[in-house]
Amino acid sequence: MGTRRDLGLLGGAAVAAAAAERAGIQPANAQTVPSASQAAASNHTIADGPDTLGFLRGLHDTMRYNLGAIEREIRELEQNPSPTAVDRLKARAFVLSFVGNNTSAARALEVLVSQEQGRTSRNLGKLAQVLTRRAQEGDAANALRYARLGLDLARDPSERWLANQTMAVAALQLDRLDEARASAEAALREQEDPRSRAVLEIVEAQRSAPTAPQEAAQPGMPQPQAFSVMRNLVVRGVISPETLLSSAGAGLGQPIRLSREDLTYFASREAF
Amino acid sequence: MTTHAACVAEPTQTGFPGQVFSGDRYALTDFVGIDLADLLELCTYNPLDDFVIASGSVVEGFGNRSSDIDLFVVRELAAPSVECFLYEPKSKRHVDITYVSKEEICQLLQRIRGVQAVPSDWVSLQRAAFPDIDIYHRLLIGVSLTDPLGDDWRKYKFCRRSVGREIAYQSIVAGRARWIDAVGAFLDGQREHAAYVARVAFEHSVDAYAALNGETNPSPKWRWARLQRLAASGRDQLQIFQFFREAAGLTPRLSLEDLLRYAGTVLSEAQALLTRGHLHGLDPLTDPCARYEPVGEFDYILRMVENGEVIAQRYG
């Protein structure tokens, strides 16, 4: 299976076949003409061009945001006349997180919050955020704990937003939709942010997806409302075209659910 | 950054390690030439719940440029003790990490509570195991590298006096037995054997004396370094280190009689320290220990050795 970027640039028929494959359905003749349902799925990719561009622009914006954040961290450290070990550690941890090296960033942030001076709301929130991105076993639960503590220590709306937003994402990863919605709404009460709105949209998309086998969508019948929500998220760069295509595949008989990987991808967005 | 390599570049005057570390965790990591983050990242721990304690010879001041760094990860969750050994390339030191649970630490504190009373026969008193004493000492001198939420390393009441008494008690019991053996061999003309056993008895007596004066590292390899530090700080009231250097050092020129006499003296002083504590402000133990001091075999034989006529009467 290709990467998201590969899939995002694939042609319609190949994309549909790939989507079916991801959905766990082997086409009768994968090398020939797609089935009707596969064609239906491929119809959703007619607008793939703008979606892909939106996705790529979202990546670009994230990288640009991260570069600015890295420069800010370096500048702050340079301008600090007497940086402490905690100051150096904080800069290192944050830059690692902006680079996207989540494992190294998580370790550095864990060291940071293990120090009394380093246990700030922002640092705890960042650690929680990095864990939701890494999304290894136990990370979401730990992220919730760190974010809650970060919320307790928060001193301003931006810190409270980060804590609530990260709690929302971690709750999503744990499939606790009510908790995710409550945290996202709490985040929005602190400050308006499209990322918090996106969490609410994802919660709704998840809610509209059938969970029990008897509620599964009929083959060839994608869930229109959920699909619409998710397509909107792609355009805004919240989720990747691959996820949208997977949802198209869902119309082939699989429930529409955002995967852990999708949520991790969502959590990885610094800005969009 | 001041590295430990720089600190130990010049040998101390005595030829023993003499750099005593004092400071916080950041000073310590500077001292050994490693970043705190690099050190902690070697460990698996929960940053909000677990302690990471640095200890060992580099903390105690006995280390050198290649000494390893001992870390203890004290976990909130109960788990069996595990040890692993890593190499840290920046500092060119090995790092020995031991994982223990807080529950194990509490049990250790229960096992080593000091000799609170002197029973009529010390030999029957239950002894703490050497690994327990060793880890107790390491944690006693340890420097916490983390600040778990709602917990404080100081709440774990490691007590130097308790472990000092435990070491002294064990050393005195062992040293006294060896000393009596040495006297017996001496009286029977087995001079070579008597000299060896007397040396062993002397070492036990030194261990007891040092432990009661606050040098509680139980490892024999630091015996003379401990004594040197006592002397350097003015705590060696018996001037044992001076004696060691001049007479009982690497090439002992001491007569067997002098060695026996000296070992017995140090043992006697250590026993007096442990039971009365009058020399260094230690709390006296409750048992008068009369059996051993005024009429006991220990002092009795010591007096005999000091007086050849008595020996002839008693053993002739």
Side-chain angles (χ1 to χ4, degrees):
Chain A
M1 184 180 293
T3 64
R4 283 197 171 93
R5 187 170 300 178
D6 296 335
L7 291 165
L9 297 173
L10 286 176
V15 167
E21 181 188 344
R22 280 193 301 280
I25 297 170
Q26 180 63 44
N29 185 350
Q31 303 300 316
T32 59
V33 180
S35 65
S37 56
Q38 286 170 326
S42 72
N43 286 339
H44 290 295
T45 67
I46 290 172
D48 192 29
D51 287 350
T52 300
L53 280 176
F55 169 63
L56 295 178
R57 291 205 183 283
L59 285 180
H60 176 265
D61 290 347
T62 297
M63 290 300 108
R64 192 165 55 188
Y65 173 89
N66 287 341
L67 183 60
I70 290 169
E71 286 171 349
R72 191 170 60 244
E73 291 295 334
I74 294 172
R75 197 166 50 246
E76 279 180 11
L77 193 60
E78 281 174 341
Q79 293 174 352
N80 188 336
S82 52
T84 64
V86 168
D87 293 332
R88 292 195 299 269
L89 186 54
K90 185 257 182 184
R92 168 173 154 172
F94 273 57
V95 168
L96 281 168
S97 77
F98 292 131
V99 167
N101 190 341
N102 292 328
T103 296
S104 296
R107 290 190 75 83
L109 285 160
E110 283 173 350
V111 173
L112 185 61
V113 303
S114 74
Q115 309 297 302
E116 194 168 11
Q117 306 96 311
R119 199 176 298 134
T120 65
S121 177
R122 178 147 172 69
N123 295 345
L124 286 159
K126 179 57 76 176
L127 173 57
Q129 189 182 51
V130 167
L131 291 178
T132 60
R133 293 174 186 171
R134 189 172 68 174
Q136 292 177 355
E137 186 177 355
D139 277 352
N142 284 331
L144 264 182
R145 187 180 177 209
Y146 294 132
R148 282 197 186 109
L149 181 58
L151 185 59
D152 290 342
L153 299 175
R155 294 170 303 180
D156 58 48
S158 68
E159 289 179 348
R160 285 193 289 274
W161 175 84
L162 176 63
N164 278 306
Q165 172 69 7
T166 310
M167 284 167 61
V169 173
L172 265 182
Q173 290 179 329
L174 293 168
D175 213 21
R176 300 181 193 169
L177 297 184
D178 290 339
E179 200 174 327
R181 179 159 60 187
S183 292
E185 287 170 349
L188 285 167
R189 282 195 293 275
E190 297 300 333
Q191 64 185 47
E192 179 60 39
D193 192 291
R195 288 167 287 186
S196 302
R197 293 270 169 221
V199 170
L200 292 178
E201 291 181 30
I202 290 173
V203 168
E204 290 312 310
Q206 297 280 69
R207 282 206 182 287
S208 65
T211 51
Q214 62 270 25
E215 297 173 8
Q218 295 298 313
M221 295 288 287
Q223 300 292 309
Q225 184 185 356
F227 192 86
S228 171
V229 168
M230 294 171 71
R231 185 174 180 282
N232 187 31
L233 293 175
V234 173
V235 172
R236 292 164 47 198
V238 179
I239 59 175
S240 72
E242 182 192 12
T243 296
L244 183 69
L245 298 173
S246 297
S247 302
L252 302 175
Q254 292 293 311
I256 299 172
R257 303 286 291 177
L258 291 184
S259 67
R260 178 175 293 274
E261 189 185 15
D262 295 321
L263 295 170
T264 302
Y265 172 74
F266 170 67
S268 74
R269 305 303 309 281
E270 287 283 351
F272 52 82
Chain B
M1 176 183 290
T2 304
T3 65
H4 191 208
C7 291
V8 297
E10 295 297 325
T12 58
Q13 285 184 335
T14 60
F16 286 96
Q19 288 286 338
V20 180
F21 166 77
S22 62
D24 62 9
R25 66 188 62 158
Y26 304 111
L28 173 66
T29 48
D30 278 356
F31 184 63
V32 298
I34 185 170
D35 191 272
L36 175 65
D38 291 334
L39 197 56
L40 286 174
E41 286 184 7
L42 296 173
C43 306
T44 301
Y45 69 104
N46 184 317
L48 299 186
D49 299 325
D50 300 344
F51 289 101
V52 179
I53 307 293
S55 186
S57 55
V58 292
V59 173
E60 190 160 23
F62 287 156
N64 54 54
R65 71 190 66 219
S66 62
S67 296
D68 61 9
I69 301 168
D70 292 335
L71 295 181
F72 290 90
V73 178
V74 183
R75 288 170 152 165
E76 181 71 34
L77 298 174
S81 296
V82 177
E83 187 170 3
C84 64
F85 204 54
L86 306 170
Y87 182 70
E88 203 291 310
K90 284 186 192 170
S91 61
K92 299 179 180 173
R93 292 176 188 269
H94 284 89
V95 181
D96 191 357
I97 306 174
T98 303
Y99 292 88
V100 296
S101 68
K102 291 181 181 177
E103 184 182 346
E104 285 179 288
I105 297 300
C106 292
Q107 290 169 355
L108 175 68
L109 289 168
Q110 289 296 314
R111 288 198 293 272
I112 296 183
R113 304 172 70 178
V115 181
Q116 298 301 321
V118 180
S120 56
D121 188 353
W122 279 4
V123 179
S124 65
L125 189 66
Q126 188 173 5
R127 303 175 189 188
F130 181 85
D132 276 356
I133 293 175
D134 186 53
I135 193 172
Y136 189 105
H137 168 77
R138 289 167 187 266
L139 293 171
L140 167 74
I141 64 166
V143 175
S144 178
L145 304 182
T146 59
D147 306 305
L149 200 62
D151 207 350
D152 187 338
W153 184 240
R154 287 170 297 188
K155 90 174 186 189
Y156 298 89
K157 301 293 184 188
F158 289 95
C159 175
R160 193 179 288 276
R161 189 170 60 183
S162 294
V163 71
R165 279 179 167 163
E166 180 68 41
I167 294 169
Y169 150 69
Q170 294 195 16
S171 299
I172 289 171
V173 169
R176 191 179 61 199
R178 300 295 89 73
W179 189 82
I180 292 172
D181 287 345
V183 171
F186 170 72
L187 293 174
D188 285 353
Q190 302 165 0
R191 294 185 63 86
E192 296 294 323
H193 181 65
Y196 171 72
V197 180
R199 177 65 180 255
V200 173
F202 179 54
E203 291 177 346
H204 281 305
S205 70
V206 167
D207 290 345
Y209 181 76
L212 289 169
N213 282 282
E215 292 290 345
T216 54
N217 187 320
S219 172
K221 74 177 179 180
W222 300 119
R223 180 172 291 128
W224 304 116
R226 290 196 297 269
L227 206 49
Q228 186 276 329
R229 195 153 71 181
L230 276 185
S233 65
R235 288 176 289 161
D236 182 10
Q237 296 188 13
L238 297 181
Q239 296 189 315
I240 303 174
F241 184 69
Q242 187 71 11
F243 168 79
F244 162 73
R245 294 194 72 194
E246 293 180 357
L250 298 176
T251 55
R253 303 185 301 275
L254 192 67
S255 72
L256 175 57
E257 289 82 352
D258 285 344
L259 181 59
L260 276 169
R261 182 178 294 109
Y262 205 77
T265 300
V266 177
L267 268 173
S268 182
E269 288 292 336
Q271 182 170 290
L273 262 180
L274 180 59
T275 54
R276 299 194 197 116
H278 62 286
L279 287 182
H280 298 276
L282 297 172
D283 294 337
L285 297 174
T286 53
D287 190 304
C289 200
R291 179 176 172 186
Y292 286 120
E293 297 238 51
V295 295
E297 194 75 355
F298 183 75
D299 279 355
Y300 185 61
I301 296 175
L302 177 61
R303 285 197 300 276
M304 289 191 295
V305 171
E306 289 174 340
N307 186 338
E309 293 177 3
V310 176
I311 291 174
Q313 290 173 11
R314 177 76 164 75
Y315 290 96

